[in-house]
Amino acid sequence: MIEGFNRIAVIGAGLMGHGIAQVFAGAGLAVTVYDPAPAARAALLDRIRANLRDLGEDEAAADRVTPVSDLAQAVREADFVVEAALENLPVKQELFAAIEAACRPDAVLASNTSVIPITDIMGGLRDRARALGTHWWNPPFLVPLVEVIGTEWTSPGVISRTMALHKALGKVPVHVKRDVPGFVGNRLQHALWREAISLIENGICDAETVDLVVKNSFGRRSGVLGPIENADLVGTDLTLAIHQNVLGAIESRPGPSPLLEKLVAEGRLGMKSGEGFRRWTPEQQAALRRDIVVELKRARSNDALRAKGTDGNDDHGDGRAGE
């Protein structure tokens, strides 16, 4: 049992759901996974075992995961329920109505939505004090962050218990104090994407250049240097001077880019269609996906080394690192 939680229910066995279930099971908790799709249920344990094998972890953790076809069965005895279904508000609202009707009155109810306000999802529940958001990042077993989002109704005790639970899993839980669309991570990420798309749209550079600039400059140090740390590193006076010169020129439209809308209208949907902002061969797609996993595994190993104080790097650089 971790922080009073022993039995976990995960709603959805897809991309996020199977990874979330894997993390809970790896921590020794019993996990029941509901998914209405037989194929998703059938593949669940094999996907988890493959992940564990790739990470060099004990595949026996998958034995603590039970796929089921009945929602009520999945949540009936759960201490903590996390929903990882489609990013569709009516679907999530319907699911939580059914979950609340079937689960114990003391179970904590959480949604893994990426951007939908938790208030919108949980507003129809009878007991809204036990409901909140836990936004994991993909892949859940490699990316440490979990955003914990309360609403105006969420009990402080539920928030603190949820934070403690995810910390015990080895995650990095952060408390998002106001329930806003996109929470913290996706607001930051898509602010960057808006400007990146605008640079291409306005002919300032091409798509490949945008990616090269990010990956070979601030993106390279972002694993150890956050934006506010960076602002303090270079100085708030320099940050102010830069903002006085550049913010007026940065994209600020409230809606999506016409370029993005055009790509979607033309069926240029990215890797799934072979072309989006850039063209992608199957080999390029496979190589990029492989590189992502390799980099995330390397970062995970470095995190473990830093936690032990054995990273072997005493050179923290000088003030110029933040430029």
Side-chain angles (χ1 to χ4, degrees):
M1 182 174 290
I2 298 177
E3 304 297 336
F5 298 105
N6 186 42
R7 295 175 295 275
I8 308 298
V10 176
I11 311 305
L15 180 67
M16 295 300 294
H18 91 279
I20 292 171
Q22 174 184 324
V23 175
F24 279 115
L29 300 175
V31 186
T32 303
V33 180
Y34 163 76
D35 198 294
R41 296 195 304 273
L44 175 64
L45 298 184
D46 285 343
R47 293 179 76 180
I48 291 174
R49 289 191 182 101
N51 292 338
L52 293 168
R53 190 161 53 246
D54 182 60
L55 294 170
E57 297 178 358
D58 189 357
E59 293 181 47
D63 297 338
R64 290 188 282 274
V65 179
T66 304
V68 299
S69 59
D70 182 73
L71 178 64
Q73 178 186 352
V75 305
R76 188 174 295 122
E77 298 300 324
D79 303 302
F80 189 93
V81 180
V82 56
E83 165 269 319
L86 297 173
E87 280 293 276
N88 181 293
L89 178 58
V91 167
K92 292 181 185 293
Q93 290 171 329
E94 183 177 347
L95 274 172
F96 276 104
I99 290 167
E100 186 177 44
C103 72
R104 297 203 325 256
D106 60 338
V108 174
L109 309 184
S111 174
N112 180 56
T113 178
S114 299
V115 296
I116 302 173
I118 307 304
T119 300
D120 295 348
I121 296 171
M122 307 297 192
L125 299 184
R126 295 187 303 274
D127 182 6
R128 296 173 292 191
R130 59 171 169 163
L132 76 174
T134 53
H135 175 219
W136 298 57
W137 290 70
N138 183 46
F141 46 87
L142 286 177
V143 181
L145 184 69
V146 177
E147 294 175 284
V148 177
I149 310 104
T151 71
E152 60 182 294
W153 312 298
T154 309
S155 160
V158 166
I159 292 173
S160 63
R161 290 179 63 215
T162 300
M163 294 280 289
L165 168 64
H166 288 80
K167 185 174 182 179
L169 295 175
K171 309 306 288 182
V172 178
V174 296
H175 181 199
V176 181
K177 298 179 181 180
R178 286 184 54 205
D179 181 24
V180 295
F183 317 128
V184 175
N186 268 318
R187 290 173 78 96
L188 292 169
Q189 179 172 235
H190 285 276
L192 173 60
W193 290 18
R194 177 173 62 182
E195 182 60 26
I197 294 169
S198 177
L199 290 169
I200 301 165
E201 178 186 341
N202 288 291
I204 296 167
C205 64
D206 60 20
E208 184 178 8
T209 297
V210 168
D211 291 332
L212 285 171
V213 167
V214 172
K215 290 190 289 186
N216 290 281
S217 60
F218 62 86
R220 181 155 294 195
R221 64 185 183 228
S222 63
V224 294
L225 183 67
I228 302 305
E229 290 173 323
N230 200 350
D232 276 350
L233 177 64
V234 303
T236 55
D237 51 344
L238 176 56
T239 301
L240 175 60
I242 293 170
H243 282 196
Q244 288 170 333
N245 282 278
V246 76
L247 288 188
I250 287 178
E251 185 61 66
S252 61
R253 64 162 61 99
S257 162
L259 173 58
L260 179 60
E261 293 175 329
K262 181 175 183 288
L263 292 178
V264 173
E266 293 175 350
R268 295 159 62 186
L269 305 179
M271 292 189 184
K272 67 180 74 175
S273 66
E275 183 179 4
F277 291 100
R278 301 172 63 173
R279 289 196 175 102
W280 297 95
T281 66
E283 294 76 20
Q284 288 172 325
Q285 294 183 40
L288 181 58
R289 295 181 198 279
R290 184 171 57 250
D291 289 348
I292 293 168
V293 172
V294 168
E295 180 63 20
L296 289 175
K297 288 168 70 175
R298 184 195 62 78
R300 186 174 186 252
S301 297
N302 286 345
D303 287 344
L305 290 173
R306 278 196 290 267
K308 295 177 182 177
T310 57
D311 64 358
N313 182 9
D314 294 325
D315 180 11
H316 298 293
D318 59 26
R320 292 175 296 174
E323 293 175 0

